[in-house]
Amino acid sequence: MYAAHSMVAMGETNSTAEACSVMGQGSWSWVVQLALAALGFASLLVKRRFERPKRKFEIWILDVCKQAFSGACAHLLGIVNSGIVDAITATGNHCSWYFIAFTLDTTFGVVFAYGGIQAVEKLAHKYNVGSLQETGRYGDPPDKAVWAVQMVVWCIITIVARLFVLVIMLAAEDPLGWVSEKIAYPFRDDPRLFLVLVMIGCPLCMNALQLWIQDTFLRWKEWSQIPVGAEKSPSFKIPSSQRVGM
């Protein structure tokens, strides 16, 4: 009797699990994902409000755009990673696996990305690649080619970090599968609500924190060495304002 009851319960969970998919809720999926992106980058506006000293608006926009491109790469790979793990396991669903992938990315992924950007800068100094020696430094006036090089490199680092997260998910498939199942089960009757919570409710704070941390180490380090309030002086100039060599 108990075994039969367990099988029924498991069957109910699995059938419900299949009902929630990050991309399987039609236009609702796109609305939720766009809302996540808007709220995440709105948090950078809040960070800028309290930033001392403030970067020039053009520089800030370039830094934010760098995260926008890498964020798109990370989000797409998060969907792919969770889809891969969901396809090879019988536990949880696409939404619950996406939540796990997102959580791992905002922890292990950020640490990996920080190590990646540090390694790139060291290699750039070793091989005299001026455009990559100081991330966030684009010259004055900003050289869009230098920004483009840094943006591409940062996107590559982000992609590698996401692949690193996939390896973790596959290596820890059994314990994470149990977690995925527990996350999915309470929302067995409302996959739309589950999608909102997975994409916005829970990840919003983690996403904002991730963007803030990444913005801190993607901005040019010399900005943090300027005395507070100095940027408001009429004689203020960006330090080391010579153009950056490619």
Side-chain angles (χ1 to χ4, degrees):
M1 176 70 73
Y2 178 77
H5 178 74
S6 299
M7 291 179 64
V8 170
M10 183 179 297
E12 289 177 354
T13 303
N14 287 341
S15 63
T16 303
E18 294 174 1
C20 184
S21 173
V22 175
M23 298 299 296
Q25 307 297 324
S27 59
W28 182 249
S29 297
W30 290 103
V31 170
V32 172
Q33 292 176 69
L34 289 174
L36 174 64
L39 291 171
F41 286 101
S43 70
L44 291 177
L45 286 171
V46 176
K47 183 177 184 293
R48 175 172 170 77
R49 173 68 178 80
F50 297 99
E51 185 176 78
R52 295 292 184 274
K54 277 188 171 66
R55 286 163 282 182
K56 285 189 174 181
F57 185 72
E58 183 180 8
I59 301 297
W60 181 80
I61 285 293
L62 291 174
D63 287 343
V64 169
C65 287
K66 190 185 292 183
Q67 290 220 65
F69 281 103
S70 66
C73 293
H75 179 62
L76 291 174
L77 275 175
I79 293 174
V80 171
N81 287 354
S82 54
I84 290 173
V85 180
D86 180 45
I88 63 176
T89 62
T91 56
N93 57 41
H94 196 187
C95 293
S96 57
W97 279 112
Y98 179 85
F99 177 78
I100 291 173
F102 193 97
T103 302
L104 292 174
D105 183 60
T106 53
T107 50
F108 295 106
V110 170
V111 173
F112 185 93
Y114 177 75
I117 205 71
Q118 294 296 308
V120 166
E121 288 187 353
K122 288 182 179 180
L123 289 172
H125 278 94
K126 180 177 180 180
Y127 295 103
N128 196 31
V129 183
S131 60
L132 294 175
Q133 290 179 355
E134 295 179 88
T135 185
R137 182 187 179 197
Y138 314 120
D140 186 23
D143 189 330
K144 302 304 190 298
V146 171
W147 171 83
V149 171
Q150 292 189 17
M151 183 271 294
V152 170
V153 169
W154 175 240
C155 286
I156 292 173
I157 291 173
T158 300
I159 291 170
V160 174
R162 277 291 191 176
L163 294 177
F164 174 68
V165 167
L166 176 60
V167 171
I168 294 177
M169 293 172 68
L170 293 174
E173 175 188 330
D174 290 339
L176 291 180
W178 180 85
V179 173
S180 178
E181 189 70 29
K182 294 300 182 182
I183 293 172
Y185 186 75
F187 304 96
R188 57 193 179 278
D189 296 323
D190 199 340
R192 284 198 168 194
L193 175 60
F194 189 28
L195 179 63
V196 172
L197 291 176
V198 164
M199 297 294 291
I200 297 180
C202 298
L204 180 57
C205 293
M206 292 188 292
N207 190 39
L209 181 61
Q210 179 185 29
L211 292 172
W212 279 37
I213 292 173
Q214 291 179 167
D215 185 61
T216 298
F217 64 73
L218 285 176
R219 64 180 293 191
W220 188 23
K221 295 178 181 63
E222 287 197 38
W223 281 107
S224 61
Q225 300 171 7
I226 304 171
V228 174
E231 77 280 5
K232 298 180 181 179
S233 171
S235 60
F236 172 72
K237 292 183 179 179
I238 299 176
S240 304
S241 59
Q242 66 270 21
R243 292 177 66 82
V244 181
M246 292 292 288

